[in-house]
Amino acid sequence: MKKSSFSRYRFPAVAAVITGKVSGRTIKKAVSEGAGLLELRVDTFGQRGIRPLVESIKGIRKIKGARAVPLIITVRKMEEGGGAWISDKERAAIFKALMPYAGLIDVELSSARALKEIIRLAKKDKKAVIISHHDFRKTPAEAGVRRIIKRALSAGADIVKVAALAKSAEDIKTLARVALDYKNLIVIAMGETGVLSRVFFPALGSLITYGSATGSTAPGQLKLKKLKKELGFYGII
C-alpha cells in the first residue's frame, strides 16, 4: 500500500461512530472525548439526497476541532447492520459525492464487487479502503476468518475489518490469534462476551476500535468516553 493511503494516521485509534441526525453538539462531544476518527454511518442519517449529505459533511468540517479528525465514510448495507435499505447504485453515488471529504471509506466484502468502482476511485484519490465483514450470528472457524481476510485483500483492502459475534472464550481466542498474525487488520468480537476485545485487541495490533457517540451500532459497543477511559487505564492508547 502506498504511504499516502493511511500511514499518516496514528494507530491504534478510537473511532467515534456518528449515527442519526448529525448535530454540532454530538461532533464536539466526540472530539472533546478524544475521538481519533469519526465514522459517519451515512445509512442512519435519514437524509438520502446528495446535496443535503454534502452540506452536512461540510458543516462537520466547520466545527471547532473536527477539521483535524479524519472521517470514515460508511454507507452500510442493511444485511450487515445498516440503518436503511439503500440500493448499490445509490450507495455508490453517495460514496462518490462524499469521497472528497473522506480519509477512509468502509465497504463490505459482500459489496466489493458491486462497489468495485468506488474502491478504485478511493485508491486513485489516495483514500484508505477498509473492506469489512460482519457476522452477527457467530464467530467463524479460524480457517474461515483467514479466508475472509484473503478475499478482502484480493478485493483491494488496505485495511481488513472482521467483526463477529463471540459466544465463548474460544471465539475470543480465535479472533485474537488472527489479530496477532496479520498487519493492517481491525478485529472485533461483538456481543457481551466480546466487550473486552474492544479494549484489548488494539494491544494485539487491531488498528481501530469503535465507541458510540450517539446510539450503539453493534452488540457490545461501548460509549466513547468509557472506551477511552479503559484504553487509557491500561496504557493502550
Side-chain angles (χ1 to χ4, degrees):
M1 188 186 57
K2 294 181 180 178
K3 184 177 180 181
S4 53
S5 293
F6 75 82
S7 59
R8 63 185 180 277
Y9 303 132
R10 183 178 178 180
F11 295 114
V14 177
V17 183
I18 308 298
T19 60
K21 186 177 180 180
V22 178
S23 70
R25 181 178 180 182
T26 298
I27 300 299
K28 288 177 182 176
K29 183 172 182 286
V31 172
S32 69
E33 290 179 356
L37 300 163
L38 296 174
E39 183 189 44
L40 305 185
R41 282 289 304 275
V42 180
D43 54 281
T44 71
F45 282 9
Q47 54 189 124
R48 302 272 283 277
I50 295 298
R51 182 172 292 180
L53 285 172
V54 169
E55 291 305 312
S56 182
I57 305 303
K58 285 182 177 179
I60 289 172
R61 281 307 189 214
K62 293 177 181 178
I63 295 171
K64 185 177 180 180
R67 180 180 292 273
V69 182
L71 304 180
I72 306 173
I73 301 297
T74 305
V75 193
R76 184 72 70 227
K77 67 188 295 185
M78 181 167 276
E79 294 86 341
E80 294 199 35
W85 187 87
I86 309 174
S87 70
D88 288 337
K89 182 177 180 180
E90 190 175 357
R91 290 169 68 213
I94 292 170
F95 270 119
K96 189 172 183 179
L98 301 185
M99 190 75 72
Y101 310 97
L104 311 89
I105 66 165
D106 182 324
V107 174
E108 308 85 10
L109 177 58
S110 58
S111 299
R113 185 183 296 273
L115 298 179
K116 63 181 180 180
E117 183 60 24
I118 294 302
I119 294 171
R120 185 198 67 79
L121 179 62
K123 288 181 171 292
K124 181 181 178 182
D125 287 354
K126 296 183 173 59
K127 314 295 185 178
V129 176
I130 300 170
I131 294 188
S132 57
H133 174 83
H134 307 82
D135 191 326
F136 293 94
R137 298 177 302 162
K138 66 182 186 311
T139 295
E142 187 171 334
V145 177
R146 293 179 186 275
R147 283 194 294 271
I148 289 166
I149 294 169
K150 184 176 180 180
R151 287 170 52 211
L153 291 171
S154 296
D158 295 315
I159 301 171
V160 180
K161 176 185 175 186
V162 178
L165 181 66
K167 298 179 181 180
S168 67
E170 286 305 312
D171 289 340
I172 302 292
K173 291 176 183 177
T174 293
L175 295 171
R177 285 193 294 269
V178 171
L180 286 167
D181 277 357
Y182 292 86
K183 293 181 179 180
N184 303 336
L185 203 64
I186 300 167
V187 187
I188 299 168
M190 295 188 291
E192 292 306 312
T193 301
V195 168
L196 61 86
S197 75
R198 298 179 180 274
V199 176
F200 293 110
F201 277 13
L204 304 183
S206 183
L207 295 185
I208 300 173
T209 185
Y210 298 80
S212 60
T214 47
S216 175
T217 58
Q221 189 175 85
L222 298 171
K223 290 288 187 181
L224 176 64
K225 188 174 184 178
K226 179 175 176 57
L227 180 59
K228 281 288 292 187
K229 182 179 179 180
E230 292 294 319
L231 290 163
F233 180 79
Y234 292 103
I236 296 170
I237 293 180

